[in-house]
């Protein structure tokens, strides 16, 4: 049956079984799989994929079929161990060795998500998206860290044009990985009406990595302190034109400020200092005033320069060992927003016919403004 006039019939039957499972015809899919189990496809997909899909099918099809799961796993382990050549399984030598080691404990193997992740990635490499979705579903059920696998499954469903399933998996993944820009972008593609407003609101909410009112106020104070020091040093008059100050603020935090190496302090008229000395600075404060470091001079708050180099570091003027900006992990995105706003305002001020410059950066139909006007009854 393998190759009739150059056509791999086993491959066609296996693909038919995958599609039958996808549309809900489980019983017929099992019959097709049993037909090709001893006579698997020759190229691309092989006996390992057939055995793995059979086990995945029993895993994902409800209690009615789980009675066959033990035998399916025994057959799967036999396929892995019977073939000594990793190329037969489409795996690297390192991957095959790991698979072989996992099968030494059948109970642990059945509970392990790693095998299913390997199979899912193999299916994705072959652009077998329906098969990948089946393997990823099993991997998610067994994985302790489900977020990354749910992200992959959402991408697969989106490629398969299954919008509802893609959105469900993407939202689950985003709940586990709220810092993921890739997931936010995926959700904006899947459901732009629902997620455009949510993505916009994230920028000013501290619990999602944005900048709250306290941090924003600290940034404004630091900027004005810097302006005053420059005016004193250069013996010039300060310009309090609000439009100019806004553009200079956007340039300072959107273009000029070095988030990777520079920290901000507001005390004693304000100053900048290297991020790298944060721990030393706070340790000296704790030695001088034990209460500043917490009860009994507790260890300093860790600096964010190592694991979040693009995040703004601002010393809290009331609690010197606390970094106000430490949780604002969306700062790189906020910096780009400031930069874009500066570019738009630069275009606006060079257009003498423009009646409003701020309309370039503040939408009149902004959902937050509309909601605020509704509450005010205007």
């Amino acid at each position: 049956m393998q190759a009739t006039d150059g056509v791999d019939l086993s491959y066609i039957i296996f693909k038919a079984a995958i599609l039958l499972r996808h549309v809900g015809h489980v019983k017929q899919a099992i019959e097709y799989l049993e037909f090709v189990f001893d006579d698997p496809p020759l190229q691309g997909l092989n006996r390992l994929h057939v055995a793995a899909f059979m086990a995945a099918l029993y895993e994902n099809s409800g209690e009615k079929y789980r009675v066959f799961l033990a035998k399916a796993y025994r057959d799967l382990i036999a396929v892995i161990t019977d073939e000594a050549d990793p190329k037969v399984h489409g795996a690297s030598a390192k991957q095959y060795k790991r698979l072989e080691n996992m099968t030494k404990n059948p109970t642990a193997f059945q509970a392990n998500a790693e095998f299913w992740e390997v199979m899912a990635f193999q299916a994705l490499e072959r652009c077998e998206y329906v098969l990948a979705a089946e393997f990823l579903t099993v991997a998610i059920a067994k994985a302790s860290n489900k977020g990354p696998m749910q992200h992959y499954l959402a991408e697969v469903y989106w490629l398969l044009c299954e919008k509802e399933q893609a959105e469900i998996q993407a939202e689950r993944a985003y709940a586990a990985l709220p810092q993921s820009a890739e997931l936010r972008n995926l959700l904006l593609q899947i459901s732009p009406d629902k997620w455009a407003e949510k993505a916009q609101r994230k920028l000013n909410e501290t619990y999602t990595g944005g900048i709250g009112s306290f941090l924003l106020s600290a940034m404004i104070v630091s900027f004005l302190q810097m302006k005053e020091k420059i005016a004193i040093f250069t013996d010039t008059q300060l310009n309090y034109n609000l439009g100019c100050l806004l553009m200079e603020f956007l340039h300072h935090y959107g273009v000029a400020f070095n988030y990777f190496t520079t920290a901000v302090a507001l005390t004693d008229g304000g100053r900048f200092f290297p991020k790298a000395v944060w721990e030393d600075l706070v340790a000296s404060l704790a030695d001088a005033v034990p209460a500043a470091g917490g009860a009994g001079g507790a260890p300093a708050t860790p600096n964010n320069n190592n694991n979040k180099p693009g995040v703004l570091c601002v010393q809290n003027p009331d609690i010197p060992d606390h970094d106000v900006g430490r949780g604002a992990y969306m700062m790189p995105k906020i910096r780009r927003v400031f930069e874009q706003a500066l570019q738009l305002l630069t275009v606006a001020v060079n257009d003498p016919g423009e009646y409003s410059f701020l309309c370039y950066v503040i939408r009149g139909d902004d959902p937050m403004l509309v909601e605020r006007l509704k509450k005010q009854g205007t």
Side-chain angles (χ1 to χ4, degrees), residues 271-330:
R271 64 189 178 90
F272 300 127
F273 63 93
K275 268 187 172 185
V277 302
W278 173 266
E279 284 86 358
D280 294 337
L281 174 68
V282 177
S284 66
L285 288 170
D287 291 338
V289 185
T301 303
N303 175 255
N304 56 29
N305 192 39
N306 294 325
N307 58 350
K308 299 176 184 175
V311 174
L312 181 63
C313 179
V314 180
Q315 186 184 37
N316 189 324
D318 297 321
I319 311 174
D321 65 343
H322 180 62
D323 177 4
V324 180
R326 185 163 174 253
Y329 56 79
M330 287 180 66

Side-chain angles (χ1 to χ4, degrees), residues 59 73 76 98-99 101-103 105-119 135 137-144:
E59 286 266 18
Y73 270 102
L76 177 57
R98 286 186 62 81
L99 293 180
N101 288 336
M102 280 190 282
T103 59
N105 186 339
T107 304
F109 175 75
Q110 187 169 339
N112 198 317
E114 185 177 353
F115 168 75
W116 298 104
E117 293 176 16
V118 171
M119 297 306 299
F135 291 152
T137 301
V138 182
I140 289 168
K142 299 176 184 295
S144 56

